[in-house]
Amino acid sequence: EDGPGPNPERLQFDLAKNSKSPWNSAVLGILCQQLKDQCTTEQWPMQRPDTYIRRLLTERYKRLRTTWRNAQPKLTEKGTVETPAETEARLVAERQVVLKQCCQTTRRRILDHIVKLKTEGNEDDAGAWKWLQRLVKTLGEHGMSSDESDIGNDVEEVLRVKNMGWRRSIARELDLVDLQRLVDTDIF
């Protein structure tokens, strides 16, 4: 607060504080001014008010801070601080859960849309799509594969296959739902 403030050439947020702290507020003000200057220099066709730009930058900062805070080591069940490897494993596991939920939500949304289109069009295969929709809803998250998301990081994950009677014949149907989204890009 008593120092010279942020250096416009090397801006850094104080992620331990919120966006309204004096330091972060000054950084956001500098970024806002730099964006406005670039907008004027490059003669962008759309000019936005300062409040709009500042709100966008503030929301972006909040997402950055949330990501940073989530990546900080947490206390383990034993009461010790996570090691970097444990922190990374936790973040990867959390990301896998989110990706799996997104995939499942996308499949449900695709099925809802296909069933609606098939029903409205009185198509012959509407009953099959309704059945598949009920099946996916009934099985829930456990009815979809756990190895659906492609996690990079050059880490090879080996999953043990557990053959379940109800699962054997649904893989083809789930692939059909995924393929439908790719085939009908104009609908989805």
Side-chain angles (χ1 to χ4, degrees):
E1 293 179 22
D2 297 315
N7 179 355
E9 300 300 319
R10 297 187 66 209
L11 289 176
Q12 288 183 307
F13 285 111
D14 179 6
L15 293 170
K17 305 277 195 263
N18 67 23
S19 62
K20 295 178 181 172
S21 74
W23 182 271
N24 289 332
S25 185
V27 170
L28 289 169
I30 293 169
L31 286 173
C32 185
Q33 186 58 49
Q34 288 177 350
L35 185 60
K36 282 178 41 185
D37 293 346
Q38 185 174 355
C39 181
T40 303
T41 303
E42 295 180 7
Q43 299 176 346
W44 291 359
M46 295 287 290
Q47 301 289 328
R48 299 287 184 181
D50 289 355
T51 54
Y52 176 80
I53 294 171
R54 183 139 185 135
R55 189 170 57 245
L56 286 178
L57 291 172
T58 301
E59 289 302 315
R60 185 79 178 206
Y61 170 76
K62 287 178 182 177
R63 289 192 305 272
L64 168 69
R65 184 170 185 241
T66 299
T67 301
W68 176 80
R69 290 177 73 183
N70 289 340
Q72 298 306 299
K74 310 279 187 235
L75 286 178
T76 64
E77 292 176 0
K78 297 176 183 177
T80 60
V81 177
E82 287 178 329
T83 64
E86 290 171 328
T87 302
E88 182 179 1
R90 176 177 49 84
L91 292 172
V92 168
E94 288 171 359
R95 182 69 181 151
Q96 287 175 335
V97 168
V98 169
L99 289 174
K100 185 176 179 180
Q101 289 172 343
C102 287
C103 183
Q104 294 167 359
T105 301
T106 300
R107 280 185 177 156
R108 286 187 198 101
R109 204 171 51 233
I110 289 169
L111 281 169
D112 291 344
H113 190 70
I114 290 173
V115 166
K116 180 181 174 194
L117 290 175
K118 299 283 185 176
T119 304
E120 288 174 356
N122 290 328
E123 297 190 28
D124 296 337
D125 59 350
W129 284 103
K130 286 179 183 177
W131 171 83
L132 184 56
Q133 180 186 38
R134 281 192 314 275
L135 178 66
V136 167
K137 284 182 181 177
T138 301
L139 294 176
E141 67 179 62
H142 302 293
M144 296 187 213
S145 177
S146 63
D147 59 347
E148 295 162 336
S149 56
D150 296 325
I151 304 295
N153 240 4
D154 295 333
V155 175
E156 183 176 337
E157 187 174 330
V158 179
L159 299 173
R160 198 176 100 218
V161 177
K162 184 175 180 182
N163 290 325
M164 295 181 229
W166 56 263
R167 182 68 195 274
R168 289 192 182 140
S169 62
I170 192 168
R172 196 174 110 236
E173 285 81 358
L174 292 176
D175 289 341
L176 182 64
V177 173
D178 294 337
L179 181 65
Q180 195 69 34
R181 180 175 59 93
L182 298 174
V183 171
D184 293 332
T185 54
D186 56 328
I187 296 175
F188 299 104

